[in-house]
Amino acid sequence: MTFNSILDNDFYKITMQNAVVKLFPSQIVKYEFINRGKHHFPEGFDHALRETVNKMAELKLTKDEKKFLAKTCPYLNLPYLDFLEGYHYDPSEVKIVQTGNDLSVTVEGLWYRTILWEVPLLALISELHYEMNHMERDSNEVVMNKTLEKAESLNKLGVTFAEFGTRRRHSYKVQNLVMEALTQKKDSTFIGSSNVHFAMKYGVKPIGTHAHEWFMFHGAEFGFKMANELALEHWVDVYRGDLGVALSDTYTTDVFFQQFDKKFAKLFDGVRHDSGDALEFADKTIAHYKRHGINPLFKYIIFSDALNLEKVEEITNYCKGKIGVSFGIGTNLTNDVGLKPMNIVMKLIGVQSLNNEWIPTVKLSDEHGKYTGDPKMIELAKEFLRIKD
């Protein structure tokens, strides 16, 4: 099992790496694999994963890939594209340990280098899990037909949607089949993929801005009270109005909207919803724009939290005539193959300070079950931000 392209990754990893290269070239960070679903890994899984991780050192940005990025993403400037052309994965940054059926994976090193590991590692763990447990998926024809039916339903709803499913895909082959199905019809409301490699392969737009780690880093580096504001300011400094969708729930949406003032509300095109009740979030977002004298119909929400067709339809009907909507659909597209999708994540867990001490990061999403990080630091963040359970 091998990776075919260095761009087989989520676009927001590329956009964040560009920002990190510019603003934080010397920061050292640590990531950790979190097995939320308590999945069991068969004997030898660590060796198989290590073998594939080692092979990733051979991946390089091709001339055609560089041209695609330069043409499609003009906000990624030439010095960054030159850097990416010279970049390669360093497998020594990845530590893999298996104890019985448990798997530990950590990544440590300079942030601008290690930032690209998270998504491919999760995709590899997912694909290897199905492969080494000899789990049979639906046929290619069934996968294609399921995807075509979903696309048809979404077209009828008249909503734009993107494929966001790399990190927990069943396999590269399944994601490829899904993209093939989604790009068959010319009049589709399908607008792009978070996967840069597949966006290039199928001639669609790469979709994404930033992830939770952008805000989590700022919380550890500058303090929880300044995290949202500085994270947004730095994003604007780098992209000057491009990539204008702000992720809202790293320290809860309520705290985010306290700091997403009129300046940011006008500068950013919209916000992304990734946890908690979607309809409640829509109400809060609409009210926030109205409070600042902004017509919500000129803005939009990208919904991306564990979506299926029923949720998309409910959200669409609820938001109609109130605010613009778009959808990023992940696992329901790339891992709807007759098997249980894995529940796995990889999170930024620490930032190294100037005196070489590790500062733990935290994420306080709109679902308490999704809080991640050091328990003491979580309590500290809640106290600082006045978040009550």
Side-chain angles (χ1 to χ4, degrees):
M1 191 172 93
T2 54
F3 254 57
N4 300 312
S5 165
I6 203 165
L7 294 186
D8 187 359
N9 208 325
D10 277 342
F11 186 48
Y12 65 30
K13 285 293 184 174
I14 302 291
T15 58
M16 286 192 298
Q17 186 184 49
N18 174 48
V20 172
V21 165
K22 286 184 175 181
L23 301 179
F24 306 109
S26 58
Q27 264 71 13
I28 292 170
V29 301
K30 188 189 289 184
Y31 297 84
E32 183 177 70
F33 170 68
I34 302 167
N35 181 8
R36 278 184 183 160
K38 305 283 189 279
H39 305 284
H40 282 212
F41 296 93
E43 189 179 342
F45 192 93
D46 54 340
H47 299 300
L49 182 60
R50 169 52 66 190
E51 196 178 313
T52 312
V53 164
N54 288 346
K55 284 180 187 169
M56 288 181 67
E58 299 163 17
L59 294 173
K60 300 283 279 183
L61 190 76
T62 67
K63 294 291 181 190
D64 284 345
E65 287 171 336
K66 188 179 181 183
K67 280 181 193 168
F68 169 77
L69 289 175
K71 184 181 177 184
T72 314
C73 318
Y75 40 77
L76 298 174
N77 58 20
L78 191 57
Y80 170 70
L81 295 181
D82 285 345
F83 157 78
L84 194 58
E85 192 175 28
Y87 174 90
H88 66 85
Y89 283 105
D90 179 358
S92 72
E93 293 164 347
V94 184
K95 301 287 183 289
I96 303 166
V97 177
Q98 185 170 351
T99 310
N101 295 127
D102 293 329
L103 184 70
S104 165
V105 183
T106 54
V107 176
E108 186 180 322
L110 287 159
W111 192 22
Y112 78 87
R113 289 201 47 80
T114 54
I115 196 167
L116 293 190
W117 276 115
E118 175 195 346
V119 175
L121 279 173
L122 289 171
L124 285 171
I125 289 168
S126 183
E127 184 163 352
L128 268 174
H129 169 76
Y130 296 115
E131 191 181 294
M132 292 185 70
N133 283 305
H134 311 291
M135 299 163 86
E136 291 290 318
R137 67 167 170 88
D138 290 337
S139 68
N140 292 355
E141 187 183 5
V142 169
V143 172
M144 289 279 282
N145 286 337
K146 276 185 183 177
T147 309
L148 288 167
E149 283 170 18
K150 287 171 189 172
E152 186 58 36
S153 298
L154 290 161
N155 286 348
K156 281 179 183 170
L157 274 176
V159 294
T160 57
F161 71 100
E163 180 274 306
F164 273 22
T166 302
R167 63 185 54 236
R168 284 186 283 268
R169 68 190 182 193
H170 172 275
S171 57
Y172 177 90
K173 283 182 182 174
V174 165
Q175 191 169 12
N176 192 41
L177 288 167
V178 166
M179 285 297 295
E180 193 181 321
L182 291 174
T183 51
Q184 275 187 12
K185 287 191 175 180
K186 291 259 170 83
D187 59 348
S188 170
T189 54
F190 174 65
I191 55 168
S193 172
S194 65
N195 186 297
V196 192
H197 163 67
F198 284 118
M200 177 180 169
K201 182 174 181 180
Y202 287 97
V204 296
K205 186 181 175 185
I207 308 277
T209 53
H210 46 241
H212 292 110
E213 74 175 282
W214 183 250
F215 296 87
M216 290 164 76
F217 168 84
H218 281 78
E221 185 77 358
F222 303 107
F224 299 121
K225 286 204 168 186
M226 297 299 294
N228 284 326
E229 189 175 340
L230 278 176
L232 294 171
E233 281 288 2
H234 284 144
W235 197 256
V236 171
D237 288 346
V238 173
Y239 289 110
R240 317 297 300 172
D242 281 311
L243 302 175
V245 177
L247 181 59
S248 62
D249 69 334
T250 309
Y251 302 106
T252 75
T253 291
D254 289 339
V255 169
F256 175 84
F257 279 139
Q258 288 166 19
Q259 294 152 346
F260 194 65
D261 60 12
K262 183 178 272 196
K263 171 188 166 180
F264 291 131
K266 286 195 167 187
L267 271 176
F268 282 84
D269 303 315
V271 292
R272 179 158 74 90
H273 169 263
D274 198 51
S275 67
D277 186 278
L279 306 187
E280 196 179 304
F281 178 83
D283 286 339
K284 285 179 181 179
T285 306
I286 291 162
H288 184 75
Y289 282 127
K290 284 181 175 175
R291 248 192 323 272
H292 288 292
I294 297 166
N295 185 345
L297 288 170
F298 295 153
K299 300 291 181 177
Y300 65 96
I301 302 170
I302 292 184
F303 293 90
S304 62
D305 180 32
L307 295 174
N308 54 34
L309 289 178
E310 292 73 31
K311 278 189 186 178
V312 170
E313 186 171 2
E314 182 187 21
I315 293 165
T316 302
N317 291 335
Y318 188 80
C319 293
K320 199 170 283 180
K322 299 176 186 174
I323 192 166
V325 295
S326 189
F327 298 89
I329 305 174
T331 311
N332 188 253
L333 283 174
T334 60
N335 207 343
D336 183 11
V337 296
L339 300 169
K340 189 177 179 182
M342 297 190 81
N343 186 2
I344 53 175
V345 292
M346 194 154 197
K347 289 293 175 191
L348 183 75
I349 62 161
V351 176
Q352 202 173 80
S353 66
L354 290 173
N355 60 2
N356 295 328
E357 286 182 9
W358 285 101
I359 303 164
T361 60
V362 299
K363 173 178 165 252
L364 311 175
S365 75
D366 291 330
E367 285 173 43
H368 293 180
K370 282 189 173 181
Y371 283 5
T372 56
D374 176 77
K376 285 183 182 174
M377 199 61 94
I378 287 173
E379 290 308 312
L380 195 64
K382 283 163 64 181
E383 193 176 328
F384 264 107
L385 299 171
R386 297 183 180 177
I387 296 167
K388 292 175 182 175
D389 287 334

